[in-house]
Amino acid sequence: MRLPQFEYFAPVSLEDALKLKDQMRTSAWILAGGTDLVVNLKHRLLAPAALISIRNIRNLTGIDLTPDTLVIRAGTALAQVASHPAVKEHFPILVKAINSIGAMAIQHFRGTIGGNLCLTPRCLFYNQSLFWRKGKGSCHRTGAKDCLALKGSESCQSICSGDTVPVLLALSASVRLVGLGGSRVVPLTEFFSGLGESPYHILPEEILTEIRIPLPWAPISWSYQRLGMRSAVDFPLVNAAAVAVLDKGKVEHLRLVISAVGPAPVILREAEKEIKGAQPEPRMADRAAEIALRAAGGVVVENAIQSRDYRVKMAGVMARRAVKEALRL
Amino acid sequence: MRKQLLSLTVNGDPVELAVPPNYTLQEALRNDLGLKGVKEGCSEGVCGACTVLMNGAPVRACLTLALEAEGADIVTIEGLSKEGWLHPIQEAFVNLGAVQCGFCTPGMIMASKALLDRIPNPTDDDIEAALTGNFCRCTGYAKMRVAVRTAARELQEKAQD
């Protein structure tokens, strides 16, 4: 399969890259690992005038440990993140999520953490070849004003498919977005728009440079659950992450997230509220499942390889397992 | 779309090419340098037939822009044999019948090489994890696992000599 035509820039500094992005805005895409972007280009899903490669920009890779935060630069390869001693020590949940992405030889050495977080949302009717799509008609993302998965929907319902998304959200991470005018740090809770056609609150002139994870103030217990058709080379059908702090027999802190259900991950705040402050007990996992089931029922549409009903049901199962493991039930 | 100059090392030799930006590494290696061992299977990163080593790491040549390989050290299946002698991994694949139709073989061997360079004495789990991204539609996976194990032993014995 041939690639469409585009200009290629490989600036040597972040400033040069930002200047290009400032001029070209949405017509230029950032090329990091390319393991998702290049496929989408081959399928003619995107038609950027230019790609801005970050391979020459030194300060977009690497991991720093500050007294209270782990800073992962967005262009760091997934394999590098998963094998870093500080990540292994503080956030084994992130290692587990990374190891479940695609396959080692595809994503792990080229794919980056920033790329996985900002994966283009996926849909059964969108992630297809040009030939296939021609027979189906257009949607929000291909120039029309309708959704092929959910007739009459006002926005694209594609699925947020990153494996690291629920995990980073459960770890209360934030991201640094840099533009020519300055930089800002946005918590991940405010990063997702919920619109499949423009899923992230990144301005056209901005570049994602860092993922910042606060170091836990107490030992955390965690769980990452993922359901896929196969164990490798597949995007999650549903995934869930739970991060808890258990202290003196009580649940001091809990963050519970399900993802790969709709355009944005879903934080199960109702479940968190019920569980926080109480002693861990088995019925909590069932309650989390009920709440997840209800939440997923509101966002899942018929747009993945498995049916809507199955995915909704499995969202409950993933949430139950996540709570069970994180609360050591 | 202007062509851009690309210099890299392929199988130990310095190479200079002029390629358009939308050229993949797979197209450059196969079409311009005639390295036909870099197979084009699915062309979208799923099958692993185009796997080559880029600075020692296994990458999909079909998902890597040629220009992204500027200055890189690329090794393809053609670069493994030395003075007419097959590499121990190739030997093991041949001797143990881990080759059926042969289309996935270059990618399998390159992914195995990347594994053995990192982990000289891999467990079965390591081997499976390293080869999950490579598809064999003749389904000769069991023999490949044995071949990688055998090659690992062979390479370690050689290293001791």
Side-chain angles (χ1 to χ4, degrees):
Chain A
M1 251 187 293
R2 297 299 308 271
L3 280 163
Q5 298 204 349
F6 48 78
E7 288 291 318
Y8 172 88
F9 301 100
V12 290
S13 72
L14 183 60
E15 212 190 333
D16 290 348
L18 288 170
K19 277 182 193 155
L20 282 166
K21 198 78 180 93
D22 201 60
Q23 284 164 17
M24 308 192 72
R25 307 246 152 176
T26 50
S27 64
W29 276 63
I30 299 292
L31 171 67
T35 54
D36 190 49
L37 178 60
V38 174
V39 180
N40 289 342
L41 290 171
K42 283 189 169 180
H43 285 173
R44 305 299 189 268
L45 292 170
L46 309 165
L51 294 187
I52 303 171
S53 166
I54 59 162
R55 73 182 165 86
N56 289 328
I57 306 175
R58 284 236 171 129
N59 51 5
L60 279 184
T61 55
I63 296 170
D64 299 319
L65 190 63
T66 70
D68 59 355
T69 313
L70 181 79
V71 181
I72 307 175
R73 312 268 173 81
T76 314
L78 291 165
Q80 246 172 303
V81 178
S83 62
H84 193 275
V87 178
K88 279 194 197 160
E89 184 192 334
H90 297 289
F91 306 115
I93 184 174
L94 187 56
V95 177
K96 186 177 178 192
I98 287 174
N99 286 339
S100 73
I101 296 171
M104 201 180 277
I106 312 177
Q107 278 88 7
H108 294 199
F109 298 100
R110 293 283 300 159
T112 63
I113 183 129
N116 190 260
L117 181 64
C118 298
L119 209 63
T120 321
R122 302 178 61 80
C123 172
L124 191 61
F125 301 100
Y126 175 74
N127 294 88
Q128 298 286 355
S129 65
L130 186 59
F131 176 77
W132 192 100
R133 280 181 287 126
K134 269 186 181 156
K136 264 288 186 198
S138 308
C139 68
H140 282 295
R141 281 162 96 184
T142 47
K145 282 268 169 268
D146 201 4
C147 171
L148 296 173
L150 187 66
K151 282 276 169 250
S153 165
E154 283 184 5
S155 67
C156 166
Q157 299 293 322
S158 294
I159 306 159
C160 169
S161 300
D163 274 289
T164 59
V165 171
V167 170
L168 290 172
L169 201 52
L171 291 171
S172 310
S174 49
V175 289
R176 184 184 290 282
L177 304 171
V178 182
L180 270 188
S183 82
R184 58 191 180 121
V185 173
V186 179
L188 276 188
T189 45
E190 290 161 28
F191 185 60
F192 300 93
S193 71
L195 307 173
E197 59 271 46
S198 55
Y200 310 107
H201 288 302
I202 306 178
L203 296 174
E205 65 272 25
E206 282 179 330
I207 296 178
L208 168 78
T209 59
E210 285 173 5
I211 290 147
R212 306 172 62 84
I213 316 176
L215 294 180
W217 70 92
I220 53 174
S221 75
W222 55 271
S223 175
Y224 175 64
Q225 299 293 330
R226 167 202 223 258
L227 181 74
M229 288 284 281
R230 300 167 288 191
S231 60
V233 205
D234 245 342
F235 289 92
L237 275 174
V238 181
N239 53 7
V243 170
V245 174
L246 305 175
D247 190 36
K248 298 185 194 109
K250 284 191 176 156
V251 185
E252 181 102 339
H253 164 87
L254 175 71
R255 178 110 285 187
L256 179 61
V257 186
I258 53 171
S259 187
V261 282
V266 181
I267 301 175
L268 301 175
R269 292 185 202 274
E270 198 187 332
E272 292 173 358
K273 224 167 123 190
E274 279 183 28
I275 295 170
K276 255 192 249 175
Q279 281 180 347
E281 48 182 315
R283 68 163 185 90
M284 287 173 173
D286 296 328
R287 268 302 284 160
E290 269 170 46
I291 291 163
L293 201 74
R294 205 165 350 109
V299 288
V300 175
V301 303
E302 205 70 72
N303 64 346
I305 194 146
Q306 287 286 11
S307 72
R308 176 186 179 279
D309 290 354
Y310 179 69
R311 286 166 60 216
V312 169
K313 220 171 190 176
M314 288 306 115
V317 174
M318 293 299 117
R320 175 188 287 121
R321 287 184 190 167
V323 168
K324 236 179 170 170
E325 195 181 19
L327 300 188
R328 300 179 186 142
L329 295 170
Chain B
M1 209 170 38
R2 274 206 326 269
K3 282 189 175 181
Q4 295 185 27
L5 215 56
L6 164 69
S7 53
L8 70 172
T9 310
V10 178
N11 295 333
D13 297 325
V15 175
E16 284 217 351
L17 293 170
V19 295
N22 67 347
Y23 226 44
T24 62
L25 181 60
Q26 191 252 342
E27 288 169 307
L29 294 170
R30 198 177 159 86
N31 303 348
D32 291 23
L33 299 175
L35 299 169
K36 304 285 179 181
V38 185
K39 301 295 182 198
E40 181 174 19
C42 66
S43 196
E44 52 182 52
V46 175
C47 77
C50 66
T51 305
V52 299
L53 301 188
M54 183 163 156
N55 299 327
V59 301
R60 294 292 198 261
C62 75
L63 294 187
T64 307
L65 294 190
L67 292 173
E68 288 283 288
E70 170 70 37
D73 184 11
I74 304 289
V75 181
T76 70
I77 188 82
E78 287 88 350
L80 287 191
S81 59
K82 292 265 146 52
E83 294 155 15
W85 291 93
L86 290 181
H87 187 276
I89 303 175
Q90 292 173 304
E91 270 310 334
F93 268 66
V94 173
N95 293 343
L96 292 160
V99 177
Q100 290 184 44
C101 86
F103 195 85
C104 74
T105 311
M108 286 285 179
I109 291 179
M110 297 318 287
S112 307
K113 167 108 173 45
L115 167 73
L116 297 182
D117 287 348
R118 264 180 317 124
I119 309 172
N121 193 9
T123 61
D124 277 1
D125 285 348
D126 292 333
I127 297 173
E128 274 165 32
L131 297 184
T132 43
N134 292 69
F135 288 1
C136 164
R137 294 296 79 166
C138 310
T139 72
Y141 295 113
K143 285 182 174 174
M144 287 169 196
R145 193 169 51 204
V146 182
V148 176
R149 257 193 326 236
T150 310
R153 240 189 345 260
E154 197 70 13
L155 281 164
Q156 278 186 314
E157 275 168 22
K158 259 195 176 168
Q160 277 165 12
D161 287 344

